[in-house]
Amino acid sequence: VSPGDELTRLGDDEFALFMPGRSESELPDVGRLTLERIRSHVEPLDGTPVTATASIGLAHAAGPSGKTCDRLLAEADRALFEAKSHGKDRCVIASAQDLPSSADRFEWGARLRTALAEDRLEIHLQPIVSVADRSVAMYEVLVRKRTRQGELVYPGDFLGAAEHLGLIHELDRTVVRKSLGLLEAHESLRLMVNLSGKSLD
């Protein structure tokens, strides 16, 4: 990356590159050059040269007050999804003509990434009760997202976005890690943890 640019890992195999000072007209060249640099990197694996490719979604922030960080990430996510949908190893620039209905899912993706980074995913335990004697046989682990304002968000609002945007693996790992922490602290506890089919794959 160029001096002044910021590169960060969002999770799994997704990275974000923040490039201040670039004009909107520079985006096609930025995408093309980034793809060329990635393709030209060859890494030997057990004696076999391996090359990498990437799918890139680009979004432009129109001035210091133009867009929120969540909005910018959502637009880049949407463009990235388009790049993956049309064959991968390509770059797509976010368009202002994108449908607002599809934006909701990507905005949720940006919020979920922030919640993962700030450790605002919580697990709640729901008792599974024996019908015979009403004793608690085990607990089902349920995931919730806590907003910065302290409100709880239920998984029906964000699981679809997590699966669609490839964040479900990191979400599942977070739930498993927190569940293992509970088991370590309470040896007699029995938990049932739900995982997504994509994580099992």
Side-chain angles (χ1 to χ4, degrees):
V1 298
S2 302
D5 292 350
E6 293 286 342
L7 180 67
T8 184
R9 180 172 175 265
L10 296 176
D12 286 336
D13 60 349
E14 286 196 349
F15 297 82
L17 178 59
F18 179 62
M19 299 172 286
R22 302 303 209 291
S23 67
E24 197 164 5
S25 62
E26 291 179 85
L27 292 188
D29 286 339
V30 166
R32 178 179 54 78
L33 287 172
T34 305
L35 282 176
E36 287 175 1
R37 286 172 183 162
I38 293 170
R39 290 179 191 134
S40 66
H41 180 74
V42 180
E43 187 72 25
L45 184 65
D46 294 332
T48 303
V50 176
T51 58
T53 60
S55 301
I56 298 177
L58 283 173
H60 187 258
S65 60
K67 292 169 187 169
T68 65
C69 183
D70 279 357
R71 179 67 192 180
L72 192 61
L73 269 176
E75 289 184 5
D77 257 335
R78 196 159 57 245
L80 174 62
F81 181 72
E82 287 295 312
K84 289 180 176 179
S85 299
H86 290 88
K88 304 182 181 180
D89 191 27
R90 65 187 61 217
C91 176
V92 171
I93 299 170
S95 167
Q97 283 73 48
D98 286 324
L99 294 174
S101 58
S102 69
D104 293 341
R105 179 185 293 170
F106 291 92
E107 297 242 4
W108 267 116
R111 290 179 208 160
L112 185 55
R113 276 204 181 90
T114 303
L116 284 163
E118 296 177 357
D119 195 26
R120 286 192 282 102
L121 284 185
E122 301 177 0
I123 59 172
H124 291 214
L125 303 184
Q126 177 169 276
I128 299 175
V129 179
S130 167
V131 176
D133 59 8
R134 306 298 294 170
S135 63
V136 176
M138 65 178 70
Y139 293 87
E140 180 179 7
V141 175
L142 306 174
V143 65
R144 304 284 185 261
K145 185 175 86 70
R146 181 78 64 176
T147 68
R148 286 174 176 165
Q149 293 72 38
E151 299 170 354
L152 276 182
V153 181
Y154 291 85
D157 289 330
F158 59 81
L159 278 186
E163 290 208 339
H164 183 73
L165 298 171
L167 295 171
I168 195 66
H169 307 98
E170 191 168 353
L171 189 150
D172 278 350
R173 278 196 295 271
T174 299
V175 170
V176 169
R177 175 173 49 80
K178 289 177 181 276
S179 298
L180 289 174
L182 270 181
L183 291 173
E184 190 175 29
H186 307 279
E187 292 183 5
S188 62
L189 202 59
R190 295 181 66 206
L191 300 179
M192 184 179 79
V193 182
N194 297 304
L195 298 176
S196 79
K198 290 189 176 183
S199 288
L200 292 175
D201 281 345

